[in-house]
Amino acid sequence: MAIKFSNTFLLRKLHQLTGVVPLGIYFFVHMYTNSTAMSGAKVFNDHVQDIHHMPYLIFIEIFGIFIPLLFHSIYGVLISSEARAKAISYSYGRNWFYVFQRVTGIFLFFFLLFHILNLRFGLIPGLESHGNPVAGNADRAFDIISAEFQNVGILIFYILGVVATAWHLAYGFWMFAVDWGIVIGEKAQRLTLYASIGLAIFLSAVGINAAVAFVENCGLLPDACCEAAEQRKIVDPPTPRRF
Ligand code: HEM
């Protein structure tokens, strides 16, 4: 009988854990950094610069992002292909959520491959970042992304990536809580499911607004929300009066 990857208990737990802990945390931090684009190029570039100045950055990237991401995506694609027939045979609500979770996972595999090759390594020909990635060019980070997002196709692809990640992560939190026995009982599981749908909507809104902020001052919010923040930063504190 063929061994099913999805039945390997330890790998499955590791798959859930890598999705929630390093990658989940990374997504929150990443959306925060992207949202600083609402305050303009200088503020965003300074945040990117701060990340590049972090001690042990290369180790954080390799062990905290790339290895968990590689394991999570490859194992995720494997179990999705095994689970496909079963999931599609159900039609009620929760199983559609389950199907979306799988579909977003497969989409994210391709999105993240493109995204990392594009902005982190500058390897996608024809784009602004080609040979000129954000890593190592923090002072141009905003301009590079802004130039790429002038292409509506790329902006939409990034927005789909943000929404897919928000859903995948928020529903993943719910599955984690149920599978690890953190939320027990029908009612508690239903309420937590509503909370995770709320989280998916919230993260999507933050992520979409951050993406639009690279092409439109303050993203989708009125300018006043951001100009106030910008002014507070650049206006010198009043000098004390001399008598
Ligand atoms: C508007 C949407 C997004 C923008 C503008 C954006 C921007 C960036 C930039 C500029 C980098 C390179 C960082 C550097 O080298 O300093 C990066 C890396 C990365 N992004 Fe995004 N990103 C977006 C969406 C996402 C989403 C939805 C995910 C999903 C989890 C994601 C995951 C990653 C990962 C894993 C890396 C590599 C991290 C590293 O090398 O340290 N990004 N992103």
Side-chain angles (χ1 to χ4, degrees):
M1 198 177 80
I3 295 174
K4 281 206 161 201
F5 287 101
S6 51
N7 287 343
T8 318
F9 180 81
L10 201 66
L11 287 182
R12 198 158 190 132
K13 291 289 169 205
L14 204 58
H15 180 249
Q16 295 167 338
L17 207 59
T18 48
V20 168
V21 184
L23 302 176
I25 294 172
Y26 177 73
F27 185 61
F28 277 89
V29 174
H30 197 26
M31 288 304 106
Y32 170 77
T33 310
N34 287 356
S35 298
T36 63
M38 291 165 65
S39 301
K42 184 180 177 325
V43 177
F44 176 73
N45 292 350
D46 286 349
H47 275 81
V48 175
Q49 190 77 265
D50 286 347
I51 294 172
H52 290 176
H53 287 158
M54 276 168 64
Y56 308 114
L57 180 62
I58 186 72
F59 298 107
I60 297 173
E61 280 194 314
I62 293 175
F63 296 106
I65 302 172
F66 292 139
I67 292 179
L69 184 58
L70 213 58
F71 169 73
H72 189 87
S73 3
I74 293 174
Y75 190 72
V77 170
L78 280 175
I79 56 177
S80 297
S81 59
E82 287 177 354
R84 202 184 314 146
K86 172 176 163 253
I88 287 176
S89 67
Y90 295 107
S91 60
Y92 53 90
R94 280 192 192 177
N95 273 296
W96 278 113
F97 290 161
Y98 180 84
V99 171
F100 283 154
Q101 226 263 345
R102 263 52 190 160
V103 171
T104 51
I106 308 265
F107 171 75
L108 283 173
F109 183 83
F110 295 104
F111 167 76
L112 287 175
L113 191 65
F114 169 85
H115 172 45
I116 294 170
L117 290 178
N118 174 27
L119 292 181
R120 173 64 179 79
F121 294 108
L123 290 174
I124 307 282
L127 295 184
E128 184 68 18
S129 60
H130 188 222
N132 196 21
V134 170
N137 290 297
D139 55 326
R140 294 200 53 239
F142 187 97
D143 290 345
I144 293 170
I145 300 167
S146 178
E148 293 197 355
F149 283 9
Q150 300 302 319
N151 179 331
V152 181
I154 301 235
L155 178 61
I156 291 174
F157 188 50
Y158 268 86
I159 287 178
L160 288 177
V162 162
V163 174
T165 311
W167 176 264
H168 192 79
L169 181 64
Y171 189 71
F173 280 149
W174 181 78
M175 288 208 301
F176 180 86
V178 171
D179 208 66
W180 287 58
I182 300 168
V183 180
I184 309 161
E186 175 90 12
K187 192 175 172 204
Q189 290 184 356
R190 200 177 52 248
L191 291 178
T192 328
L193 181 61
Y194 295 150
S196 69
I197 294 172
L199 180 67
I201 295 171
F202 169 75
L203 287 175
S204 298
V206 170
I208 292 172
N209 195 53
V212 176
F214 288 96
V215 287
E216 199 61 55
N217 194 19
C218 207
L220 297 166
L221 294 179
D223 276 1
C225 297
C226 296
E227 276 166 10
E230 184 88 322
Q231 275 165 19
R232 273 201 299 278
K233 274 199 160 309
I234 55 178
V235 168
D236 288 333
T239 40
R241 274 210 202 162
R242 290 202 185 157
F243 294 99

PDB file of all heavy atoms in Angstrom, residues 11 28 63 73 76 80 82 91 93 99 102 109 112 120 128 152 155 176 181-182 203 210:
ATOM      1  N   LEU A  11       5.103  14.978  10.399  1.00  0.00           N
ATOM      2  CA  LEU A  11       5.255  15.941   9.294  1.00  0.00           C
ATOM      3  C   LEU A  11       4.045  16.868   9.232  1.00  0.00           C
ATOM      4  O   LEU A  11       4.157  18.064   8.980  1.00  0.00           O
ATOM      5  CB  LEU A  11       5.404  15.208   7.961  1.00  0.00           C
ATOM      6  CG  LEU A  11       6.735  14.508   7.720  1.00  0.00           C
ATOM      7  CD1 LEU A  11       6.756  13.867   6.345  1.00  0.00           C
ATOM      8  CD2 LEU A  11       7.889  15.517   7.819  1.00  0.00           C
ATOM      9  N   PHE A  28       2.349  39.166   9.563  1.00  0.00           N
ATOM     10  CA  PHE A  28       1.916  40.344  10.327  1.00  0.00           C
ATOM     11  C   PHE A  28       2.971  41.450  10.252  1.00  0.00           C
ATOM     12  O   PHE A  28       2.658  42.615   9.994  1.00  0.00           O
ATOM     13  CB  PHE A  28       1.668  39.972  11.798  1.00  0.00           C
ATOM     14  CG  PHE A  28       0.309  39.379  12.032  1.00  0.00           C
ATOM     15  CD1 PHE A  28       0.095  38.016  11.919  1.00  0.00           C
ATOM     16  CD2 PHE A  28      -0.772  40.193  12.346  1.00  0.00           C
ATOM     17  CE1 PHE A  28      -1.167  37.466  12.121  1.00  0.00           C
ATOM     18  CE2 PHE A  28      -2.040  39.645  12.554  1.00  0.00           C
ATOM     19  CZ  PHE A  28      -2.233  38.275  12.444  1.00  0.00           C
ATOM     20  N   PHE A  63      16.637  30.456   8.305  1.00  0.00           N
ATOM     21  CA  PHE A  63      15.989  29.503   9.226  1.00  0.00           C
ATOM     22  C   PHE A  63      14.580  29.945   9.649  1.00  0.00           C
ATOM     23  O   PHE A  63      13.757  29.103  10.011  1.00  0.00           O
ATOM     24  CB  PHE A  63      16.866  29.278  10.465  1.00  0.00           C
ATOM     25  CG  PHE A  63      18.174  28.622  10.112  1.00  0.00           C
ATOM     26  CD1 PHE A  63      19.356  29.355  10.111  1.00  0.00           C
ATOM     27  CD2 PHE A  63      18.215  27.282   9.736  1.00  0.00           C
ATOM     28  CE1 PHE A  63      20.555  28.763   9.748  1.00  0.00           C
ATOM     29  CE2 PHE A  63      19.418  26.683   9.375  1.00  0.00           C
ATOM     30  CZ  PHE A  63      20.592  27.429   9.379  1.00  0.00           C
ATOM     31  N   SER A  73       5.391  24.926   1.851  1.00  0.00           N
ATOM     32  CA  SER A  73       4.755  24.946   0.531  1.00  0.00           C
ATOM     33  C   SER A  73       4.835  23.588  -0.153  1.00  0.00           C
ATOM     34  O   SER A  73       3.837  23.130  -0.722  1.00  0.00           O
ATOM     35  CB  SER A  73       5.338  26.016  -0.404  1.00  0.00           C
ATOM     36  OG  SER A  73       6.377  26.690   0.160  1.00  0.00           O
ATOM     37  N   GLY A  76       2.601  21.192   1.634  1.00  0.00           N
ATOM     38  CA  GLY A  76       1.222  21.650   1.419  1.00  0.00           C
ATOM     39  C   GLY A  76       0.700  21.226   0.054  1.00  0.00           C
ATOM     40  O   GLY A  76      -0.429  20.757  -0.080  1.00  0.00           O
ATOM     41  N   SER A  80      -2.342  18.604  -0.518  1.00  0.00           N
ATOM     42  CA  SER A  80      -3.505  19.119  -1.266  1.00  0.00           C
ATOM     43  C   SER A  80      -3.854  18.164  -2.392  1.00  0.00           C
ATOM     44  O   SER A  80      -5.025  17.889  -2.644  1.00  0.00           O
ATOM     45  CB  SER A  80      -3.215  20.477  -1.890  1.00  0.00           C
ATOM     46  OG  SER A  80      -2.970  21.399  -0.903  1.00  0.00           O
ATOM     47  N   GLU A  82      -3.377  15.035  -2.513  1.00  0.00           N
ATOM     48  CA  GLU A  82      -3.962  13.809  -1.971  1.00  0.00           C
ATOM     49  C   GLU A  82      -5.397  14.022  -1.479  1.00  0.00           C
ATOM     50  O   GLU A  82      -6.210  13.119  -1.532  1.00  0.00           O
ATOM     51  CB  GLU A  82      -3.121  13.300  -0.793  1.00  0.00           C
ATOM     52  CG  GLU A  82      -1.809  12.692  -1.253  1.00  0.00           C
ATOM     53  CD  GLU A  82      -0.950  12.268  -0.077  1.00  0.00           C
ATOM     54  OE1 GLU A  82      -1.335  12.550   1.076  1.00  0.00           O
ATOM     55  OE2 GLU A  82       0.109  11.692  -0.323  1.00  0.00           O
ATOM     56  N   SER A  91     -20.188  19.356  -0.138  1.00  0.00           N
ATOM     57  CA  SER A  91     -20.568  20.655  -0.694  1.00  0.00           C
ATOM     58  C   SER A  91     -20.971  21.661   0.375  1.00  0.00           C
ATOM     59  O   SER A  91     -21.157  22.813   0.090  1.00  0.00           O
ATOM     60  CB  SER A  91     -21.709  20.482  -1.687  1.00  0.00           C
ATOM     61  OG  SER A  91     -22.788  19.907  -0.999  1.00  0.00           O
ATOM     62  N   GLY A  93     -20.902  24.327   3.680  1.00  0.00           N
ATOM     63  CA  GLY A  93     -20.052  25.465   3.976  1.00  0.00           C
ATOM     64  C   GLY A  93     -18.613  25.188   4.345  1.00  0.00           C
ATOM     65  O   GLY A  93     -17.697  25.609   3.648  1.00  0.00           O
ATOM     66  N   VAL A  99     -11.741  23.805   0.836  1.00  0.00           N
ATOM     67  CA  VAL A  99     -11.293  23.813  -0.557  1.00  0.00           C
ATOM     68  C   VAL A  99     -10.567  25.136  -0.861  1.00  0.00           C
ATOM     69  O   VAL A  99      -9.481  25.142  -1.443  1.00  0.00           O
ATOM     70  CB  VAL A  99     -12.495  23.604  -1.530  1.00  0.00           C
ATOM     71  CG1 VAL A  99     -12.068  23.831  -2.971  1.00  0.00           C
ATOM     72  CG2 VAL A  99     -13.065  22.214  -1.370  1.00  0.00           C
ATOM     73  N   ARG A 102      -7.066  25.135   0.356  1.00  0.00           N
ATOM     74  CA  ARG A 102      -6.166  24.374  -0.529  1.00  0.00           C
ATOM     75  C   ARG A 102      -5.865  25.173  -1.790  1.00  0.00           C
ATOM     76  O   ARG A 102      -4.729  25.256  -2.220  1.00  0.00           O
ATOM     77  CB  ARG A 102      -6.815  23.040  -0.933  1.00  0.00           C
ATOM     78  CG  ARG A 102      -6.420  21.829  -0.134  1.00  0.00           C
ATOM     79  CD  ARG A 102      -6.555  22.000   1.324  1.00  0.00           C
ATOM     80  NE  ARG A 102      -5.954  20.914   2.067  1.00  0.00           N
ATOM     81  CZ  ARG A 102      -5.605  21.012   3.339  1.00  0.00           C
ATOM     82  NH1 ARG A 102      -5.784  22.139   4.000  1.00  0.00           N
ATOM     83  NH2 ARG A 102      -5.070  19.998   3.964  1.00  0.00           N
ATOM     84  N   PHE A 109       1.851  29.282  -3.715  1.00  0.00           N
ATOM     85  CA  PHE A 109       3.114  28.654  -4.113  1.00  0.00           C
ATOM     86  C   PHE A 109       3.706  29.435  -5.293  1.00  0.00           C
ATOM     87  O   PHE A 109       4.868  29.816  -5.289  1.00  0.00           O
ATOM     88  CB  PHE A 109       2.849  27.191  -4.491  1.00  0.00           C
ATOM     89  CG  PHE A 109       4.089  26.433  -4.852  1.00  0.00           C
ATOM     90  CD1 PHE A 109       4.886  25.879  -3.867  1.00  0.00           C
ATOM     91  CD2 PHE A 109       4.458  26.283  -6.180  1.00  0.00           C
ATOM     92  CE1 PHE A 109       6.031  25.177  -4.189  1.00  0.00           C
ATOM     93  CE2 PHE A 109       5.608  25.588  -6.523  1.00  0.00           C
ATOM     94  CZ  PHE A 109       6.398  25.034  -5.526  1.00  0.00           C
ATOM     95  N   LEU A 112       4.317  33.394  -4.363  1.00  0.00           N
ATOM     96  CA  LEU A 112       5.505  33.666  -3.542  1.00  0.00           C
ATOM     97  C   LEU A 112       6.798  33.402  -4.312  1.00  0.00           C
ATOM     98  O   LEU A 112       7.785  34.123  -4.136  1.00  0.00           O
ATOM     99  CB  LEU A 112       5.468  32.853  -2.244  1.00  0.00           C
ATOM    100  CG  LEU A 112       4.449  33.380  -1.230  1.00  0.00           C
ATOM    101  CD1 LEU A 112       4.367  32.472  -0.019  1.00  0.00           C
ATOM    102  CD2 LEU A 112       4.800  34.799  -0.781  1.00  0.00           C
ATOM    103  N   ARG A 120      12.930  40.324  -3.819  1.00  0.00           N
ATOM    104  CA  ARG A 120      14.060  39.972  -2.949  1.00  0.00           C
ATOM    105  C   ARG A 120      15.341  39.751  -3.767  1.00  0.00           C
ATOM    106  O   ARG A 120      16.412  40.173  -3.393  1.00  0.00           O
ATOM    107  CB  ARG A 120      13.707  38.721  -2.128  1.00  0.00           C
ATOM    108  CG  ARG A 120      14.847  38.141  -1.299  1.00  0.00           C
ATOM    109  CD  ARG A 120      15.306  39.124  -0.232  1.00  0.00           C
ATOM    110  NE  ARG A 120      16.383  38.587   0.581  1.00  0.00           N
ATOM    111  CZ  ARG A 120      17.649  38.539   0.228  1.00  0.00           C
ATOM    112  NH1 ARG A 120      18.004  38.983  -0.953  1.00  0.00           N
ATOM    113  NH2 ARG A 120      18.572  38.059   1.045  1.00  0.00           N
ATOM    114  N   GLU A 128      11.139  46.478 -12.969  1.00  0.00           N
ATOM    115  CA  GLU A 128      12.007  47.513 -12.404  1.00  0.00           C
ATOM    116  C   GLU A 128      13.116  46.924 -11.502  1.00  0.00           C
ATOM    117  O   GLU A 128      14.238  47.409 -11.458  1.00  0.00           O
ATOM    118  CB  GLU A 128      11.132  48.486 -11.594  1.00  0.00           C
ATOM    119  CG  GLU A 128      11.850  49.675 -11.006  1.00  0.00           C
ATOM    120  CD  GLU A 128      12.334  50.657 -12.049  1.00  0.00           C
ATOM    121  OE1 GLU A 128      11.845  50.617 -13.193  1.00  0.00           O
ATOM    122  OE2 GLU A 128      13.236  51.463 -11.700  1.00  0.00           O
ATOM    123  N   VAL A 152      -0.987  47.617 -13.998  1.00  0.00           N
ATOM    124  CA  VAL A 152      -2.188  47.188 -13.269  1.00  0.00           C
ATOM    125  C   VAL A 152      -2.209  45.673 -13.051  1.00  0.00           C
ATOM    126  O   VAL A 152      -2.642  45.178 -12.004  1.00  0.00           O
ATOM    127  CB  VAL A 152      -3.463  47.634 -14.024  1.00  0.00           C
ATOM    128  CG1 VAL A 152      -4.711  47.218 -13.277  1.00  0.00           C
ATOM    129  CG2 VAL A 152      -3.464  49.141 -14.181  1.00  0.00           C
ATOM    130  N   LEU A 155      -0.105  44.917 -10.052  1.00  0.00           N
ATOM    131  CA  LEU A 155      -0.782  45.378  -8.818  1.00  0.00           C
ATOM    132  C   LEU A 155      -1.893  44.389  -8.444  1.00  0.00           C
ATOM    133  O   LEU A 155      -1.995  43.970  -7.278  1.00  0.00           O
ATOM    134  CB  LEU A 155      -1.346  46.787  -9.027  1.00  0.00           C
ATOM    135  CG  LEU A 155      -2.121  47.371  -7.853  1.00  0.00           C
ATOM    136  CD1 LEU A 155      -1.243  47.507  -6.614  1.00  0.00           C
ATOM    137  CD2 LEU A 155      -2.707  48.748  -8.206  1.00  0.00           C
ATOM    138  N   PHE A 176      -5.693  25.016  12.990  1.00  0.00           N
ATOM    139  CA  PHE A 176      -4.660  24.720  13.989  1.00  0.00           C
ATOM    140  C   PHE A 176      -5.295  24.600  15.376  1.00  0.00           C
ATOM    141  O   PHE A 176      -5.048  23.643  16.111  1.00  0.00           O
ATOM    142  CB  PHE A 176      -3.616  25.843  13.963  1.00  0.00           C
ATOM    143  CG  PHE A 176      -2.497  25.674  14.947  1.00  0.00           C
ATOM    144  CD1 PHE A 176      -1.371  24.918  14.614  1.00  0.00           C
ATOM    145  CD2 PHE A 176      -2.546  26.257  16.197  1.00  0.00           C
ATOM    146  CE1 PHE A 176      -0.338  24.744  15.517  1.00  0.00           C
ATOM    147  CE2 PHE A 176      -1.519  26.096  17.104  1.00  0.00           C
ATOM    148  CZ  PHE A 176      -0.399  25.346  16.761  1.00  0.00           C
ATOM    149  N   GLY A 181      -6.479  20.741  19.574  1.00  0.00           N
ATOM    150  CA  GLY A 181      -7.329  20.607  20.758  1.00  0.00           C
ATOM    151  C   GLY A 181      -7.386  21.872  21.607  1.00  0.00           C
ATOM    152  O   GLY A 181      -7.709  21.821  22.795  1.00  0.00           O
ATOM    153  N   ILE A 182      -7.105  23.047  20.986  1.00  0.00           N
ATOM    154  CA  ILE A 182      -7.154  24.309  21.745  1.00  0.00           C
ATOM    155  C   ILE A 182      -8.615  24.775  21.852  1.00  0.00           C
ATOM    156  O   ILE A 182      -9.038  25.291  22.874  1.00  0.00           O
ATOM    157  CB  ILE A 182      -6.269  25.392  21.067  1.00  0.00           C
ATOM    158  CG1 ILE A 182      -4.825  24.902  21.027  1.00  0.00           C
ATOM    159  CG2 ILE A 182      -6.372  26.738  21.784  1.00  0.00           C
ATOM    160  CD1 ILE A 182      -3.902  25.709  20.143  1.00  0.00           C
ATOM    161  N   LEU A 203      -7.120  41.497   7.649  1.00  0.00           N
ATOM    162  CA  LEU A 203      -5.776  41.420   7.055  1.00  0.00           C
ATOM    163  C   LEU A 203      -5.809  41.759   5.567  1.00  0.00           C
ATOM    164  O   LEU A 203      -4.888  42.393   5.047  1.00  0.00           O
ATOM    165  CB  LEU A 203      -5.180  40.022   7.254  1.00  0.00           C
ATOM    166  CG  LEU A 203      -4.726  39.667   8.669  1.00  0.00           C
ATOM    167  CD1 LEU A 203      -4.274  38.212   8.743  1.00  0.00           C
ATOM    168  CD2 LEU A 203      -3.583  40.582   9.129  1.00  0.00           C
ATOM    169  N   ALA A 210      -2.218  48.814   1.855  1.00  0.00           N
ATOM    170  CA  ALA A 210      -0.762  49.001   1.780  1.00  0.00           C
ATOM    171  C   ALA A 210      -0.294  48.912   0.327  1.00  0.00           C
ATOM    172  O   ALA A 210       0.540  49.706  -0.113  1.00  0.00           O
ATOM    173  CB  ALA A 210      -0.055  47.959   2.643  1.00  0.00           C
TER     174      ALA A 210
END
